[in-house]
mmCIF file of all heavy atoms in Angstrom:
data_model
loop_
_atom_site.group_PDB
_atom_site.id
_atom_site.type_symbol
_atom_site.label_atom_id
_atom_site.label_comp_id
_atom_site.label_asym_id
_atom_site.label_seq_id
_atom_site.Cartn_x
_atom_site.Cartn_y
_atom_site.Cartn_z
ATOM 1 N N ALA A 50 -17.834 9.699 0.507
ATOM 2 C CA ALA A 50 -17.385 9.898 -0.861
ATOM 3 C C ALA A 50 -16.402 11.030 -0.859
ATOM 4 O O ALA A 50 -16.510 12.060 -0.176
ATOM 5 C CB ALA A 50 -18.601 10.262 -1.786
ATOM 6 N N ALA A 51 -15.367 10.891 -1.711
ATOM 7 C CA ALA A 51 -14.353 11.989 -1.942
ATOM 8 C C ALA A 51 -14.726 12.636 -3.291
ATOM 9 O O ALA A 51 -15.346 12.027 -4.162
ATOM 10 C CB ALA A 51 -12.941 11.390 -2.004
ATOM 11 N N GLN A 52 -14.352 13.840 -3.413
ATOM 12 C CA GLN A 52 -14.585 14.558 -4.684
ATOM 13 C C GLN A 52 -13.529 14.188 -5.734
ATOM 14 O O GLN A 52 -12.312 14.087 -5.348
ATOM 15 C CB GLN A 52 -14.603 16.053 -4.447
ATOM 16 C CG GLN A 52 -14.881 16.852 -5.670
ATOM 17 C CD GLN A 52 -14.929 18.387 -5.368
ATOM 18 O OE1 GLN A 52 -14.832 18.774 -4.203
ATOM 19 N NE2 GLN A 52 -15.001 19.193 -6.391
ATOM 20 N N ILE A 53 -13.929 14.003 -6.966
ATOM 21 C CA ILE A 53 -12.975 13.635 -8.036
ATOM 22 C C ILE A 53 -13.017 14.744 -9.043
ATOM 23 O O ILE A 53 -14.047 15.206 -9.485
ATOM 24 C CB ILE A 53 -13.383 12.350 -8.739
ATOM 25 C CG1 ILE A 53 -13.476 11.229 -7.753
ATOM 26 C CG2 ILE A 53 -12.454 12.033 -9.887
ATOM 27 C CD1 ILE A 53 -14.142 9.937 -8.334
ATOM 28 N N THR A 54 -11.800 15.261 -9.418
ATOM 29 C CA THR A 54 -11.645 16.243 -10.471
ATOM 30 C C THR A 54 -10.457 15.754 -11.331
ATOM 31 O O THR A 54 -9.325 15.761 -10.857
ATOM 32 C CB THR A 54 -11.301 17.649 -9.892
ATOM 33 O OG1 THR A 54 -12.323 18.009 -8.985
ATOM 34 C CG2 THR A 54 -11.227 18.676 -11.031
ATOM 35 N N ASP A 55 -10.783 15.297 -12.568
ATOM 36 C CA ASP A 55 -9.742 14.759 -13.447
ATOM 37 C C ASP A 55 -9.027 13.620 -12.749
ATOM 38 O O ASP A 55 -9.672 12.633 -12.393
ATOM 39 C CB ASP A 55 -8.798 15.826 -13.983
ATOM 40 C CG ASP A 55 -9.509 16.867 -14.815
ATOM 41 O OD1 ASP A 55 -10.389 16.514 -15.555
ATOM 42 O OD2 ASP A 55 -9.171 18.069 -14.719
ATOM 43 N N ASN A 56 -7.710 13.793 -12.526
ATOM 44 C CA ASN A 56 -6.966 12.746 -11.831
ATOM 45 C C ASN A 56 -6.566 13.054 -10.372
ATOM 46 O O ASN A 56 -5.592 12.596 -9.912
ATOM 47 C CB ASN A 56 -5.716 12.365 -12.650
ATOM 48 C CG ASN A 56 -4.657 13.446 -12.628
ATOM 49 O OD1 ASN A 56 -4.951 14.621 -12.737
ATOM 50 N ND2 ASN A 56 -3.434 13.005 -12.373
ATOM 51 N N THR A 57 -7.453 13.839 -9.745
ATOM 52 C CA THR A 57 -7.256 14.143 -8.296
ATOM 53 C C THR A 57 -8.480 13.712 -7.542
ATOM 54 O O THR A 57 -9.601 13.797 -8.020
ATOM 55 C CB THR A 57 -6.953 15.611 -8.028
ATOM 56 O OG1 THR A 57 -8.043 16.394 -8.421
ATOM 57 C CG2 THR A 57 -5.726 16.070 -8.767
ATOM 58 N N VAL A 58 -8.268 13.332 -6.298
ATOM 59 C CA VAL A 58 -9.327 13.044 -5.352
ATOM 60 C C VAL A 58 -9.092 13.976 -4.195
ATOM 61 O O VAL A 58 -7.927 14.232 -3.788
ATOM 62 C CB VAL A 58 -9.452 11.584 -4.973
ATOM 63 C CG1 VAL A 58 -9.858 10.746 -6.127
ATOM 64 C CG2 VAL A 58 -8.176 11.057 -4.385
ATOM 65 N N GLN A 59 -10.177 14.493 -3.598
ATOM 66 C CA GLN A 59 -9.955 15.411 -2.468
ATOM 67 C C GLN A 59 -11.132 15.272 -1.481
ATOM 68 O O GLN A 59 -12.192 14.854 -1.797
ATOM 69 C CB GLN A 59 -9.844 16.832 -2.975
ATOM 70 C CG GLN A 59 -10.925 17.263 -3.897
ATOM 71 C CD GLN A 59 -10.495 18.404 -4.788
ATOM 72 O OE1 GLN A 59 -9.394 18.940 -4.621
ATOM 73 N NE2 GLN A 59 -11.345 18.759 -5.694
ATOM 74 N N THR A 60 -10.791 15.662 -0.263
ATOM 75 C CA THR A 60 -11.770 15.657 0.843
ATOM 76 C C THR A 60 -11.482 16.830 1.692
ATOM 77 O O THR A 60 -10.356 17.335 1.738
ATOM 78 C CB THR A 60 -11.716 14.358 1.581
ATOM 79 O OG1 THR A 60 -12.856 14.275 2.448
ATOM 80 C CG2 THR A 60 -10.431 14.161 2.422
#
Side-chain angles (χ1 to χ4, degrees):
Q52 183 178 353
I53 302 169
T54 306
D55 297 323
N56 71 314
T57 63
V58 293
Q59 52 205 352
T60 191

